[in-house]
Amino acid sequence: MPSPTLGPAGRLGRFSIDSKLPPLLVLAALAVGLLAVLLTPREEEPQITVPMVDVFVGLPGAAPAEVESRVTMPLEKRLWEIPGVEYVYSASMSGQALVTARFRVGEPEVDSLVKVYEKLLSGMDRIEPAGATLPLARLRSIDDVPVLALTLWSRDAGDFTRRRLAGELERELAQVGDVSETRLMGGRRRQVRVELSAARMAAHGVDPAQVAAAIAAQNVSLPAGSYAAGNQEVLVEAGGFLTSAEEVAALVVGVHQGRPVHLRDVAEVRDGPEEVAERVLFAPGPAADPGLRPPAGVDPLAPAVTLALAKRQGADAARVVAAVSAKLEAVRGRLLPPGVHVTVTRDYGATATEKAGELLTHLVGAIVSVTVVVALVLGWRGGAVVFVSVPVTFALTLFVYYLFGYTLNRVTLFALIFVTGIVVDDSIIVVENIVRHRAASGASSREAAVAAVDEVGNPTILATLTVIAAVLPMAFVRGLMGPYMRPMPVGASLAMTFSLLVAFIAGPWFAHRLLRGGGGHGGGEGDVRATRTYRIYAGLLRPLMARSSRAWLFLAGVGLLLAASLA
């Protein structure tokens, strides 16, 4: 039974120093920390939930001023009535209105979209004037930003061919897991174009509205009932969709002098590329393969098509990019001819991995640096104890990060680098005091370790709680900076808590075994006072304590330095 005179830290140290659990707990903590590093998604920035819903309403033929008064303003009023909406933005254009509702940070995305639809449907009579289209609401989030952009470019193939190749590639890559949305930019899509002739329409007695209505009426398939046959019910559909330019040209668009008028009689029907709506150009840079650069005198800009891919919420950007790249290599020879090149113009996974790897490298460097500094003062044995405690602390913190749903990003890793110098304090205090007790008393190393932990236990606990109390309130900051910076106070508080437990549980166990036979500070209390560090410190402090005038002068100097820093 532990002695009742020992405090909580001393009792915990006495229990752990003879137990076989500390090394097992250290190994388990390192294992779960490594698992968390491998499983936690890596991103450049923290995930911030800021739901934004775009609402589109069309009013064909209306001027922007009319759209604003008849559509935009009533729609804004309805969206302001939704709970959780923080800002409303709007834009009125010719024949169309766009109103964006931005909800407060942290509002659930799906619930926000449901609220918008519920408000729109419940007040349709107030926001839909005569001739307006039905409102279309679309949810926007940070995950809509592409994580990978592939640019297909060629100096030989036309923009129509490139677009079709990119479309085939898009269908293949969209099958990769965790790819949420794909978008093609550039090139020209396939389109059946109907070019009406005014003279031929006048000769056949038809007008453009009549032709458009006829095309729309005949390009439709509707259910026409059912009939029973052979003990089965057969569904019947009337009409059908147009599948070729020949079918479009053969449509009957009117009757003139008792004879049907076909579309080919009044228009030219062409199956080919659409008109140019957007253009994408690509030029190989200085780091590109010399074989891809154009010869001298040739325009370096080549027509291109860009395929952008976004990931699902919570997915690891690096893993998604790696899966898409593997799929691309698998289908490259089957879908892309030799003259069409594919260049990665955006790789969010590579940049996220690079930044996360760089921060992890700095984290390891910080741990090694602190260990070396401790080893120079306490010896390599004391440095080894600290070297064990810091990785265990960070491993447990990373595991809790993973459980909380955080990602490995610049903020979460910076939080660990930020507290590296703080989390070692607990282990340094415990180890240094154990070394001092062993050097100052003739007690066994076991009793010296327990007494040392108990002596500094309560002050260490109080100091740790003080740091947590100073850092943790930052986790409750509101607005966009709240979720962005929240991993820092959460990580710092967790790391401080784990460092305290590691110092009281693993510290005495490793110190009792690693410091056995170590020199420490020396053989007695006199050896400590004989050190150079002690003599320098005593030489600075004793003159200040000898006379009160010197002490007040020193305090005045500190006050002046404080005032200068504030200035």
Side-chain angles (χ1 to χ4, degrees):
M1 292 292 293
S3 174
T5 59
L6 294 176
R11 298 187 182 190
L12 192 59
R14 169 164 288 184
F15 170 77
S16 63
I17 202 170
D18 295 325
S19 175
K20 297 180 179 180
L21 289 178
L24 298 179
L25 294 177
V26 167
L27 294 177
L30 295 176
V32 298
L34 178 61
L35 183 66
V37 172
L38 296 177
L39 296 181
T40 305
R42 299 187 179 190
E43 296 179 320
E44 289 190 36
E45 308 292 345
Q47 282 284 339
I48 303 177
T49 303
V50 188
M52 298 180 65
V53 180
D54 292 337
V55 180
F56 301 88
V57 178
L59 189 62
E66 183 181 0
V67 172
E68 180 181 11
S69 61
R70 299 181 61 191
V71 178
T72 305
M73 295 179 65
L75 186 56
E76 286 179 345
K77 294 179 181 179
R78 294 295 291 175
L79 295 181
W80 270 119
E81 299 173 2
I82 301 176
V85 172
E86 189 172 14
Y87 298 102
V88 174
Y89 313 95
S90 64
S92 300
M93 299 158 280
S94 296
Q96 187 180 21
L98 169 61
V99 182
T100 301
R102 205 202 87 177
F103 287 78
R104 295 190 181 95
V105 178
E107 290 283 337
E109 294 183 344
V110 177
D111 293 348
S112 301
L113 183 60
V114 171
K115 291 178 182 178
V116 171
Y117 266 113
E118 181 183 7
K119 182 60 67 173
L120 293 177
L121 295 177
S122 63
M124 195 71 69
D125 56 329
R126 298 173 53 186
I127 61 175
E128 186 188 1
T133 61
L134 291 175
L136 173 63
R138 177 163 184 173
L139 180 66
R140 301 288 186 179
S141 67
I142 190 64
D143 292 300
D144 294 333
V145 178
V147 297
L148 182 66
L150 304 174
T151 299
L152 284 73
W153 60 280
S154 173
R155 301 186 185 277
D156 302 325
D159 53 1
F160 180 49
T161 303
R162 283 191 302 272
R163 178 82 184 203
R164 298 185 66 178
L165 293 175
E168 294 291 336
L169 184 61
E170 179 185 19
R171 281 189 285 271
E172 292 288 342
L173 300 183
Q175 301 174 9
V176 177
D178 290 330
V179 172
S180 63
E181 184 179 359
T182 60
R183 180 188 174 191
L184 280 176
M185 294 169 285
R188 289 189 291 173
R189 293 173 294 184
R190 180 188 177 190
Q191 185 181 72
V192 176
R193 299 182 61 188
V194 178
E195 299 178 357
L196 298 175
S197 171
R200 292 159 66 180
M201 284 192 299
H204 290 82
V206 296
D207 56 74
Q210 183 180 352
V211 173
I215 295 175
Q218 298 180 69
N219 186 34
V220 66
S221 178
L222 298 174
S226 63
Y227 65 92
N231 200 26
Q232 292 182 344
E233 184 180 11
V234 180
L235 300 179
V236 179
E237 291 187 356
F241 296 105
L242 302 174
T243 59
S244 65
E246 289 75 14
E247 292 184 5
V248 176
L251 293 177
V252 177
V253 296
V255 178
H256 181 63
Q257 295 179 355
R259 299 180 61 183
V261 178
H262 297 277
L263 184 58
R264 59 174 172 266
D265 298 330
V266 297
E268 294 292 336
V269 180
R270 295 186 176 90
D271 185 356
E274 65 178 354
E275 294 183 354
V276 177
E278 57 183 4
R279 298 190 65 186
V280 176
L281 300 175
F282 177 81
D289 187 353
L292 300 179
R293 300 176 189 171
V298 178
D299 187 1
L301 293 176
V305 176
T306 295
L307 171 60
L309 301 97
K311 69 178 183 67
R312 294 178 181 173
Q313 184 178 8
D316 190 328
R319 294 192 182 100
V320 173
V321 171
V324 172
S325 301
K327 183 71 171 180
L328 173 62
E329 293 301 322
V331 302
R332 183 191 293 268
R334 176 167 56 89
L335 295 181
L336 303 178
V340 178
H341 309 283
V342 179
T343 302
V344 178
T345 50
R346 174 181 172 84
D347 191 345
Y348 185 81
T351 56
T353 301
E354 179 184 0
K355 288 180 173 57
E358 183 180 358
L359 289 172
L360 285 174
T361 303
H362 290 317
L363 181 60
V364 174
I367 295 174
V368 173
S369 301
V370 170
T371 303
V372 171
V373 172
V374 174
L376 293 176
V377 179
L378 299 181
W380 70 268
R381 297 173 184 270
V385 178
V386 175
F387 182 75
V388 171
S389 63
V390 177
V392 172
T393 299
F394 287 160
L396 293 174
T397 305
L398 290 172
F399 181 65
V400 176
Y401 270 162
Y402 171 71
L403 296 180
F404 283 177
Y406 291 133
T407 60
L408 284 182
N409 53 71
R410 62 178 69 190
V411 177
T412 54
L413 293 176
F414 177 74
L416 298 183
I417 298 176
F418 169 72
V419 300
T420 301
I422 303 178
V423 297
V424 297
D425 286 349
D426 297 339
S427 297
I428 291 176
I429 292 172
V430 170
V431 173
E432 195 278 336
N433 208 40
I434 291 175
V435 173
R436 187 181 67 83
H437 270 259
R438 291 182 65 250
S441 65
S444 65
S445 59
R446 178 180 178 278
E447 295 300 328
V450 174
V453 173
D454 183 68
E455 182 180 28
V456 298
N458 291 338
T460 305
I461 294 175
L462 180 60
T464 302
L465 294 179
T466 302
V467 175
I468 294 176
V471 174
L472 191 58
M474 288 195 302
F476 302 97
V477 176
R478 293 188 174 185
L480 286 175
M481 290 305 297
Y484 187 87
M485 300 300 297
R486 188 166 297 142
M488 183 174 294
V490 171
S493 301
L494 289 172
M496 290 298 299
T497 303
F498 289 136
S499 70
L500 184 67
L501 296 176
V502 170
F504 290 161
I505 296 176
W509 193 93
F510 283 97
H512 174 59
R513 287 155 178 81
L514 291 178
L515 297 178
R516 185 178 299 170
H521 284 303
E525 182 71 19
D527 295 333
V528 177
R529 295 183 178 182
T531 60
R532 180 182 301 176
T533 303
Y534 186 89
R535 291 197 303 269
I536 295 175
Y537 181 71
L540 293 175
L541 192 61
R542 282 172 179 167
L544 297 178
M545 301 177 62
R547 295 182 181 179
S548 59
S549 59
R550 294 177 180 176
W552 284 109
L553 183 62
F554 175 76
L555 292 177
V558 173
L560 290 176
L561 291 177
L562 177 61
S565 63
L566 293 177

